[in-house]
Structure formats: C-alpha cells, structure tokens
Amino acid sequence: MTRQLHLNAFLMTTGHHEASWRLPESDPYAHVDLAHYAGLARTAERGTFDSLFLADGPHLWGSVAQRPAGALEPLTLLTALATATEHIGLIATASTSYNSPYNLARRFASLDIISGGRAGWNIVTTAGAEAARNFGVDEEPAHAERYARAAEFLDVALKLWDSWEDDAIVADKAAGVWGDDAKIHPPRHRGTYFGVEGALNVPRSPQGYPLLVQAGSSEDGKAFAARYAEAVFTAQQTVEEARAFYADLKARTAAAGRDPDHVKVLPGIVPVIGSTEAEARAHEQLLEDHIVHRHGVANLEGLLRLPAGTLELDALLPAELPPEDAIEGARSRYTLVVGLARRERLTVRQLIGRLGGGRGHLTFAGTPEQVADAIETWFTQGAADGFNIMPPVLPSGLETFVDHVVPILRARGLLRTAYGPRRTLRERYGLPRPANQYAAPALATA
Amino acid sequence: MTRQLHLNAFLMTTGHHEASWRLPESDPYAHVDLAHYAGLARTAERGTFDSLFLADGPHLWGSVAQRPAGALEPLTLLTALATATEHIGLIATASTSYNSPYNLARRFASLDIISGGRAGWNIVTTAGAEAARNFGVDEEPAHAERYARAAEFLDVALKLWDSWEDDAIVADKAAGVWGDDAKIHPPRHRGTYFGVEGALNVPRSPQGYPLLVQAGSSEDGKAFAARYAEAVFTAQQTVEEARAFYADLKARTAAAGRDPDHVKVLPGIVPVIGSTEAEARAHEQLLEDHIVHRHGVANLEGLLRLPAGTLELDALLPAELPPEDAIEGARSRYTLVVGLARRERLTVRQLIGRLGGGRGHLTFAGTPEQVADAIETWFTQGAADGFNIMPPVLPSGLETFVDHVVPILRARGLLRTAYGPRRTLRERYGLPRPANQYAAPALATA
Ligand SMILES: Cc1cc2nc3c(=O)[nH]c(=O)nc-3n(C[C@H](O)[C@H](O)[C@H](O)COP(=O)(O)O)c2cc1C
Ligand SMILES: Cc1cc2nc3c(=O)[nH]c(=O)nc-3n(C[C@H](O)[C@H](O)[C@H](O)COP(=O)(O)O)c2cc1C
C-alpha cells in the first residue's frame, strides 16, 4: 500500500478563527454543547479522519469578553464522544505539571477501555503563571523543570499502564481465583517529583496505553518528543521550515534509539475554503473584519511579555524584544510569531490578522483543489506525515473540508476510503501495540 | 403529594456479594465492560430510581486473586452512562485527599453539563496507607486531618462552581462581547491545604454544582455531613440504630443552620430476593458457599488492624481489640463490624458470611413483599428517606428488584411511577438549586 495521510481534526468551539463566534451561523454556547461536538466527531468520522483532538489548559484564559471561554474537560467530553462514534481516535490534552500520575494514568486507561482502544494523550507541560496559581504554586515553574517533571511523569505512567500484564486475569470460577498476583507489578517508584507505590486499579487497556502525542517545539520539547512521542503536532508557516523540523525530529527519534517511522509529524493547517480562490479570500476577509483589535493587542503583549500599552496597531513590532530563552512559557510560539512579523514586515494589525485564524499555524485560503495540492506538496516533500486540520469556523469548515477536500485526497490515493477492520488509534497511525515492560518476551511460535 | 422514597442503585461489578463473580451467570470481566454498566443503568431507570452510584478508591485493593479488582474511573464511566440514559442521577465517588479542587470541580461541572444536571459527588476522605503511597505520601494522613482538608476542599470547590454567575455569558455578536467579566469571580483562595487563584474554566452547570453526598459515620464524618451533605449513605444493621442515626443527623443539620429536610438519609440494603422465603435463603446460602474463607480472614484482619494469622475461623473475635479511636482508617465500619460480632456472638466464619454480602450493610433475604415491607417500615418509622439498593448479584439482582419489588412500592404510593418533567438530580431528591454565593440576591418580582 502507498503511504497515506494521517488526518487529525483539531476541534475548537466555534472554530479556530478568534472571531468565528461572531458569524451569524455560529452558536456562542457551542463550547458546552455535547451535541455540537458529537456532530463534529461524526463529520470527522465521515471523512475517515484518524483522530480528533481537544486542546486544554487548567485555567480560565484571559478576559471572557473576547470570545467563548472555558470548555468541557477534555477527557470527560471525549468519553461522551466515544459513545457517539465508532472508529475515530480521541486525543485529549492533559498537563503533566498539574496532575498526578496515578489519577491521570487511570483516566486514560478507562477512556481507552471504554472507547475500544481509541484514546490518545496530548502531553503538555502547561505554560504560564495563571495555571500555576490554580494549584497552589505562585510562580510559573521554569521551562526546564516542567520538562523534567514531564519525563518522570511519563516514566511512572508507563509503569502504571504496564502494572497489569495482559493476561493477569484468570477468572477461574471453580477454583475461586480471579487474578494472578504474580502478573501484577507495583511500580514502587520514588523519584524527584513523584512517589507511586502500587499497581494501577484498572487492567491493561486495549492499546496498552494511549497514543502519546506531543507538541513542544523548544529544544526540551523536541528532546521529549524524540524519547516518548508517537505523534507530534507542530505549527509551521512554510514548507521549508516544516521540512527542516520534520527531518530534525526524525533524526532525533532515531538517535534516541527508536524507529523514526514510529513518530508521525502533523503540522497544523487552517483551511479557508471557497469554490473559487476569490470566494476563499472573501471568507478570510469577512473573518478578519470581525476581529476586535484591542483584544488582539493585549494577547500579543501577553505572549511577548511586554507591558500593556506597548504595541501600536499600525506600527511594526519594537526592534528590541526579550530573547527566546527569557521566555519560560510558550517559547517556540514566541519564536514563530516574532519570526513571522520580522520576515514579512507586518504591522501589529496585520500580525493580529494573520494570527487570528490559526494562532501561528499555517492559514491557507483556496479552492478544494488548492488545499489538496498544498497538503499533497507538504506530504510528498518530507514536511509532514499528515495534518492537524484546524477549521476556521465550526461546524461548517469541517463539513466543507470533508465534503470537498477529502474526496480529492481519496481520488489521489492519499487517504483511506473506509476505516477497514483495524480498530485502535495506534493501528490507524500505523504503529505497533507496545509490549509490556514487565512481561516475559513472547516465544516465537510456528 | 405524600412523601416518597428515594432509591439509589449502588452498582458494583458482578454484585455486592464478594462471591458473586463465581456464579455461572456472572461475567468476570464485567468490571471493565461499558455494556454491562449501561444495562444496569437502564434497568435502574426502568425502576425510576433517583440515581445510581459508583464507589471508589485510588488504589488497587488487596490481592487480585480474591475477586474482580480494579474498576473504570467513576467520573469517566458515569460520563459514558450519561449518554446511555436520560433521567437517572449519576453519583461518582472522588477523594478530597488525593485530588486537587480545580481539576475535580471542573470534571464534576463538565459531567453536570453533559448529563443535563444529573451529576452527584460522593465525597470521601479515603482511608488507608495504600492510597496515600500512590500519591507520594508515606503514612496514612490522620483521620482529623483528612476531614480538615475535606472541609477546605469543599469551600474552594463551592467558590469555583460559583465563579461564573449564571448569566455571565452575554453573547453579543454585534458588539463583539462574549462574556461579562464583572460576573466572573476568581476565588483568590489561600488556605492551609490549597491555593486557588482563578475562576473555573467552565461555566456554572445546570445544577450549580453536583449533588453533594457523603458517607462518613465517625464524629468528624457526621459533622461534615451536617455542614455540606445533601444526601448521606450509611450502613445500619437494625432499625433502632438507623433511627438513632437518622435523628442525630437531622438534628446536627438543623444545628448547623440548615433545613434538616435538605439532607436525605439513605441506609444500604442488600436484598436477597426469592419467590418464597426458602428460595431467598437458599440463594443466600449458595452465595455463602462460594466464599473463599482465607480471603475473608485476611480482609478482617486488615480492617481490625490485627497481625496476619491472629484470627481463627471457628472462634469468636479476640476479647482485646484496638479501641475505635486508634483506627485512623474506616473508623465507623470497624465499630459496626465489632459490634455485630459481639452482639450476635458470631464466630469469625459466621462474621465473614454476614459481611460477604454487604460488608456491614443490612442483608435482607425474603420475598418481594417482605423486602417491600422492610423498606416501608424503615421509611415510615423515621429510619430512612430512601435506600441504597445493593444487589448481591448483578445484573440479575437489580432486575429482580425492579421487576418484583418496585411494582409493590409503586402500588403502595411509595415510589414514583414515572420521572415526570423535573430533570435534575437535585430536583429528584426534592432539593432546591443552590444560589450563587457571589450573585446579588434576586429581587422579588410580581
Ligand atoms: C497543535 C498544537 C496544540 C497545542 N495544544 C496545547 C494545549 O492544548 N495545551 C497546552 O498547554 N499547550 C499546547 N500546545 C503548546 C505545546 O504543548 C508547547 O507548549 C508549545 O508548542 C511550546 O513549546 P515548548 O513547551 O517546548 O516551549 C500546543 C501546540 C501545538 C502546536
Ligand atoms: C454506602 C457507602 C459507600 C461508601 N463508599 C466509599 C467509597 O467509595 N470510597 C471510600 O473511600 N469510602 C467509602 N465509604 C466510606 C465512608 O466514606 C467513610 O469513610 C466510612 O464510612 C468511615 O467513616 P469515617 O470516614 O467518618 O470514619 C462508603 C461508606 C458507605 C456507607
């Protein structure tokens, strides 16, 4: 079989464009509406996407005046979506900085069981002091420390997910023996950040553990991805940059002793689709016209760690900005945004317009053919194993993609036409089920 | 309308009897089978129960040889069950000792939204060092300390659930204003156990917050219930003891300045039902015959904090046992078990048989009429506002109850015959929706 695309539907309330909620078609209460999300999930399943994905952070972000704020907790929402769908993978974001391994490992195992092996975890370390202060921590933990904790978190979680061997349940009613205690392996972990003594209180799940996804783009983030990640989300503006990122990540993965094919790289794309290019551009302009610029300025000042009132709407960014390594928060996003503004000499207003759609992800306006061409180019030129599809407006943007771009990708042999018999998320991404670290290696059988 | 019973289905894998999994009818993999639980939930809904309930603890309990061990995480499972049911309340156990308020408050708010106002929280402080050691704590926290943390947890959680006023969302598309920042109230909490600065990242839910349930029976536990609980689960062996508990709890609630009618007391009952009394007793005997006594002895030694090998199967309990206040764990369960053994002069074997069904809850074997009589007696004699129904074998025990006991209770006017228009769990329990602590009191309108 020829290599095929992996598509992930990145779902965000009324869409990725920050002004999407203001369009007449949008439901401003969609962020807490299960039916809205179930409809999106079924649309993505109609498009034979590999998975859908929910971003998250454990704090209320900024002013609620700006746009739909707050969201259903992702693992909770994905559990409900598991019952509304049959095939599609379900990737939830959860923070290693503000969870404990025992509880989180168990919740992912439970979702994996309930969904029949469709769970994935977008592992994030959570930037920002706002989140820290909701968990009794006054200062944002240092970037390096957050990644050190994340690595220990993963090691413990992997032990917990392996703490039941696959055949630990005997179910011998006659003898009155339900399980085999010899196949239960308490982690007995005592580390820098965590102490976890006992085995998980849920058996090993269909996938062994959820698909591990990661999106950190800093040095620490890429090192972490090379070690643990099976799929990587990334924001890239040009095919050249994306190719460099792709090659770098595959090389790091190989250097970490893993098969580079076992990490799938998915850049994000915000497809603004029209039946003509002009129609697509008009749709893009309509969205941009709905941006409230005073919010955009405040957000940009926050990202760049500038005092309020520093930026002027019709001027360039200031020549002097804090260096990347002074940013303890979303470091690589900072670099990307500053790079974009400098490269294209954008005013603050123009930069806000460009970021309004995808917050740093590639926005691509065009016809379905043009969107398919862009996807095919990146895919065949070593820039991507697939894409994070980020519709600017939901549900319409996803429907348009599925109805008009998906058929083209299928006709070109780039996308499955049906799900087929393989069921788990890891199988969809072409990855093997992980062996249990405590189990005796299986003997080769004839 | 005459006062009616509140029924809660306490679901536990293959049933509450510890040997239930060994019966031919039982599925030993039921503990991780969503379809099993969805079937139970629909059966309870057919019986117009108020709610169903899942117990929990964040550790693997004892040896897996004994009986089905591990369980799907309750909030996750209940989210899936929310989509499989329409009316029934969904009560999840979660620990105040091993969760953080921000994450847990958000998860309950999310379940409440997804279920349309059907979420409930069984608030537990989690006894035992096994759980502590899964969260980096070497020693079991002291009983009083666990309750002090629980009280602060509740205060923070209540602030978080009120941090959005009900009308915080404005959704003014034309003006580009989604929410009203003046109606968002960050807790800014700095206490002994928790620091929580910001507002919750999910709007106020249909019930305001989940129904608050509690089951602590120690002095601290009852004081906590009087202050916060809207429903109380309890294990009582005799109607006299249950009446005393009921009167005590209502008095404490009134003394705490709350309406005693706003806390519903639900003792547990394990109904072993037969079409004749002899058939019921034979069923009870069949279950007892499947008990593996060596496990029962080990469990009892654990509860009583005795060294392994202390107890003899055909002897009475030792005359000397640790006093109740030396037990930092499940204190009231200890008192109940010792009291039962002493009062009825039970051997260890007999005690294990009695505990096998309900772990200290009342086991009642009889015909549907007799079960209905027992329920009516307790209900009308000031011992209960309803019951925690704990079928010894599942699903059959719940089906038998719904098909044969429920019609009798309905015929006597003690139980609703249909759910009617009121939808939230709190409405089912006859409780008002809580006001928001930050909102201006509503003006009386004509
Ligand atoms: C597609 C995509 C989705 C992301 N989703 C989240 C998220 O849900 N929560 C979060 O805290 N960070 C999220 N991030 C941020 C990354 O996890 C990471 O923190 C960021 O790229 C900065 O990299 P660094 O942490 O290595 O400095 C996302 C990034 C990308 C590219
Ligand atoms: C019906 C019922 C259900 C209970 N469920 C749980 C549970 O799921 N998890 C838990 O840790 N404790 C559970 N308990 C124990 C109580 O929360 C409480 O810890 C116990 O009754 C001892 O009381 P105390 O904590 O006040 O000493 C339950 C008790 C009863 C009566």
Side-chain angles (χ1 to χ4, degrees):
Chain A
M1 200 179 70
T2 56
R3 181 171 164 258
Q4 286 195 320
L5 281 166
H6 299 289
L7 294 188
N8 179 57
F10 184 170
L11 305 182
M12 185 166 279
T13 61
T14 54
H16 283 270
H17 197 286
E18 64 168 82
S20 59
W21 73 273
R22 296 184 66 193
L23 298 193
E25 68 180 80
S26 295
D27 173 8
Y29 297 90
H31 66 315
V32 289
D33 182 4
L34 175 59
H36 172 73
Y37 282 97
L40 295 174
R42 282 189 284 256
T43 301
E45 206 163 52
R46 184 156 56 79
T48 54
F49 277 54
D50 294 66
S51 50
L52 59 84
F53 160 61
L54 300 173
D56 199 54
H59 61 104
L60 185 62
W61 195 80
S63 150
V64 300
Q66 289 192 38
R67 75 174 78 108
L72 296 168
E73 193 278 324
L75 275 160
T76 310
L77 176 51
L78 291 190
T79 303
L81 295 184
T83 68
T85 56
E86 227 183 305
H87 305 285
I88 198 163
L90 307 158
I91 303 175
T93 298
S95 174
T96 53
S97 299
Y98 307 112
N99 279 292
S100 53
Y102 198 91
N103 287 341
L104 195 65
R106 184 171 181 219
R107 294 174 62 208
F108 272 109
S110 298
L111 175 60
D112 201 46
I113 292 170
I114 284 176
S115 64
R118 296 189 279 138
W121 175 18
N122 178 37
I123 306 162
V124 300
T125 65
T126 311
E130 292 82 355
R133 292 196 197 107
N134 291 338
F135 297 85
V137 180
D138 280 343
E139 305 259 316
E140 176 179 17
H143 191 271
E145 171 144 359
R146 284 191 277 122
Y147 272 105
R149 181 178 155 116
E152 190 182 325
F153 196 115
L154 260 282
D155 292 339
V156 181
L158 290 167
K159 287 183 199 169
L160 286 165
W161 286 319
D162 283 349
S163 64
W164 291 55
E165 290 188 41
D166 286 312
D167 56 354
I169 302 176
V170 179
D172 185 342
K173 289 182 178 182
V177 176
W178 185 78
D180 180 353
D181 286 307
K183 302 215 163 172
I184 304 290
H185 304 279
R188 304 196 209 288
H189 174 90
R190 284 180 174 254
T192 308
Y193 299 96
F194 307 108
V196 179
E197 180 67 20
L200 205 58
N201 52 355
V202 60
R204 200 158 191 259
S205 69
Q207 294 192 104
Y209 48 86
L211 180 81
L212 302 180
V213 183
Q214 214 264 348
S217 297
S218 64
E219 277 301 308
D220 286 342
K222 284 186 281 195
F224 184 93
R227 192 160 149 204
Y228 299 103
E230 298 170 286
V232 165
F233 296 154
T234 179
Q236 303 291 336
Q237 285 284 328
T238 66
V239 68
E240 294 74 29
E241 284 168 346
R243 288 180 63 182
F245 178 85
Y246 185 96
D248 180 40
L249 197 79
K250 297 278 176 167
R252 285 175 193 253
T253 303
R258 296 174 57 210
D259 182 343
D261 206 39
H262 288 176
V263 55
K264 305 298 180 187
V265 178
L266 309 183
I269 181 172
V270 181
V272 186
I273 306 167
S275 51
T276 62
E277 203 179 316
E279 197 183 298
R281 296 233 171 273
H283 189 49
E284 198 175 18
Q285 189 59 51
L286 176 77
L287 282 162
E288 203 167 317
D289 290 344
H290 281 84
I291 290 180
V292 179
H293 283 93
R294 108 189 95 85
H295 299 322
V297 169
N299 297 343
L300 206 51
E301 287 167 344
L303 177 73
L304 303 179
R305 306 281 158 124
L306 297 170
T310 313
L311 295 178
E312 282 173 55
L313 212 42
D314 292 303
L316 300 179
L317 288 186
E320 292 281 303
L321 286 172
E324 169 179 314
D325 61 12
I327 305 290
E328 289 295 341
R331 187 174 288 180
S332 57
R333 184 61 51 91
Y334 167 93
T335 309
L336 181 147
V337 167
V338 174
L340 172 67
R342 301 266 196 250
R343 187 172 61 243
E344 306 194 14
R345 292 193 55 79
L346 302 176
T347 65
V348 168
R349 184 189 303 276
Q350 289 167 327
L351 183 59
I352 288 170
R354 288 289 287 275
L355 296 177
R359 301 178 315 285
H361 289 266
L362 177 70
T363 298
F364 188 94
T367 64
E369 283 286 341
Q370 289 173 320
V371 171
D373 290 347
I375 286 176
E376 183 166 3
T377 303
W378 284 47
F379 181 59
T380 54
Q381 298 194 356
D385 293 313
F387 283 85
N388 223 349
I389 305 298
M390 303 168 57
V393 184
L394 287 169
S396 64
L398 186 63
E399 285 160 3
T400 306
F401 187 91
V402 167
D403 291 337
H404 299 283
V405 182
V406 161
I408 299 171
L409 297 173
R410 285 181 180 155
R412 296 183 188 177
L414 295 172
L415 185 66
R416 64 175 73 83
T417 54
Y419 280 112
R422 290 173 304 169
R423 293 200 54 84
T424 73
L425 173 54
R426 210 173 254 113
E427 285 169 326
R428 301 234 177 284
Y429 275 97
L431 300 165
R433 183 171 191 268
N436 188 315
Q437 63 187 292
Y438 299 109
L443 296 178
T445 45
Chain B
M1 201 181 69
T2 57
R3 180 170 165 258
Q4 286 195 320
L5 280 165
H6 298 289
L7 294 188
N8 179 56
F10 183 170
L11 304 183
M12 186 166 280
T13 62
T14 55
H16 283 270
H17 197 284
E18 64 167 82
S20 58
W21 74 273
R22 295 184 65 193
L23 298 193
E25 67 179 80
S26 294
D27 172 6
Y29 297 90
H31 64 313
V32 288
D33 182 4
L34 176 58
H36 171 73
Y37 283 97
L40 295 174
R42 282 189 284 257
T43 302
E45 206 163 52
R46 184 156 58 78
T48 54
F49 277 54
D50 294 66
S51 50
L52 59 83
F53 160 62
L54 300 172
D56 198 55
H59 60 104
L60 185 63
W61 195 80
S63 150
V64 300
Q66 290 191 38
R67 76 174 79 107
L72 297 167
E73 192 277 326
L75 275 160
T76 310
L77 176 52
L78 291 190
T79 303
L81 295 184
T83 68
T85 56
E86 226 182 307
H87 304 285
I88 198 163
L90 306 159
I91 304 175
T93 298
S95 174
T96 52
S97 299
Y98 307 113
N99 279 292
S100 53
Y102 198 91
N103 288 341
L104 194 66
R106 183 172 182 219
R107 295 175 61 208
F108 272 109
S110 298
L111 175 60
D112 202 45
I113 291 170
I114 284 176
S115 64
R118 296 190 280 138
W121 176 18
N122 178 35
I123 306 161
V124 301
T125 65
T126 310
E130 290 83 354
R133 291 196 199 109
N134 291 339
F135 297 87
V137 181
D138 280 342
E139 305 259 316
E140 175 179 18
H143 191 271
E145 171 143 0
R146 283 192 278 122
Y147 273 105
R149 180 179 156 116
E152 189 181 327
F153 197 117
L154 261 282
D155 291 339
V156 180
L158 290 166
K159 286 182 199 170
L160 286 165
W161 286 319
D162 284 349
S163 64
W164 292 55
E165 292 188 41
D166 286 311
D167 55 355
I169 303 177
V170 179
D172 185 341
K173 289 182 179 183
V177 176
W178 184 78
D180 180 352
D181 286 306
K183 303 216 161 172
I184 304 291
H185 304 277
R188 302 195 210 290
H189 175 89
R190 285 182 174 254
T192 308
Y193 300 96
F194 307 108
V196 180
E197 180 67 19
L200 206 58
N201 52 355
V202 61
R204 200 159 191 258
S205 69
Q207 294 191 102
Y209 49 86
L211 181 80
L212 302 179
V213 183
Q214 215 265 347
S217 296
S218 64
E219 277 300 309
D220 285 343
K222 285 185 281 194
F224 184 93
R227 190 159 150 206
Y228 299 102
E230 298 170 286
V232 165
F233 297 153
T234 179
Q236 303 290 338
Q237 285 284 328
T238 66
V239 67
E240 295 75 29
E241 285 167 348
R243 288 180 62 183
F245 177 86
Y246 185 97
D248 180 42
L249 198 78
K250 297 278 176 167
R252 285 174 193 255
T253 303
R258 296 174 57 210
D259 183 342
D261 206 38
H262 289 174
V263 55
K264 306 296 181 190
V265 177
L266 309 183
I269 180 170
V270 181
V272 186
I273 305 168
S275 52
T276 62
E277 203 179 316
E279 197 182 296
R281 298 232 171 272
H283 190 49
E284 199 175 18
Q285 189 60 49
L286 176 76
L287 281 162
E288 205 167 317
D289 291 343
H290 282 84
I291 290 179
V292 180
H293 284 92
R294 107 188 97 83
H295 297 323
V297 170
N299 296 344
L300 208 49
E301 286 167 344
L303 177 73
L304 303 178
R305 306 280 156 124
L306 297 170
T310 312
L311 295 178
E312 282 174 55
L313 213 43
D314 292 304
L316 301 179
L317 288 185
E320 293 280 304
L321 286 173
E324 170 177 316
D325 60 12
I327 304 288
E328 288 296 340
R331 187 175 288 181
S332 57
R333 185 60 52 90
Y334 168 92
T335 310
L336 181 147
V337 167
V338 174
L340 172 67
R342 300 267 196 251
R343 187 171 62 243
E344 306 194 15
R345 292 191 54 77
L346 301 176
T347 65
V348 168
R349 185 191 299 277
Q350 289 168 325
L351 183 59
I352 288 170
R354 288 287 289 275
L355 296 177
R359 301 178 316 284
H361 289 266
L362 177 70
T363 298
F364 188 93
T367 63
E369 283 287 340
Q370 289 171 320
V371 171
D373 289 348
I375 286 175
E376 182 166 4
T377 303
W378 284 46
F379 180 60
T380 54
Q381 296 193 358
D385 294 313
F387 283 86
N388 222 347
I389 304 298
M390 303 168 59
V393 184
L394 287 170
S396 64
L398 186 63
E399 285 161 3
T400 306
F401 187 90
V402 167
D403 291 336
H404 299 284
V405 182
V406 161
I408 299 170
L409 298 173
R410 285 181 179 153
R412 296 182 189 177
L414 295 172
L415 185 67
R416 64 175 72 82
T417 55
Y419 280 112
R422 290 174 306 169
R423 292 200 56 83
T424 73
L425 174 54
R426 210 173 252 110
E427 284 170 327
R428 301 235 177 283
Y429 275 97
L431 300 165
R433 182 171 191 269
N436 187 314
Q437 62 187 294
Y438 298 110
L443 297 177
T445 45

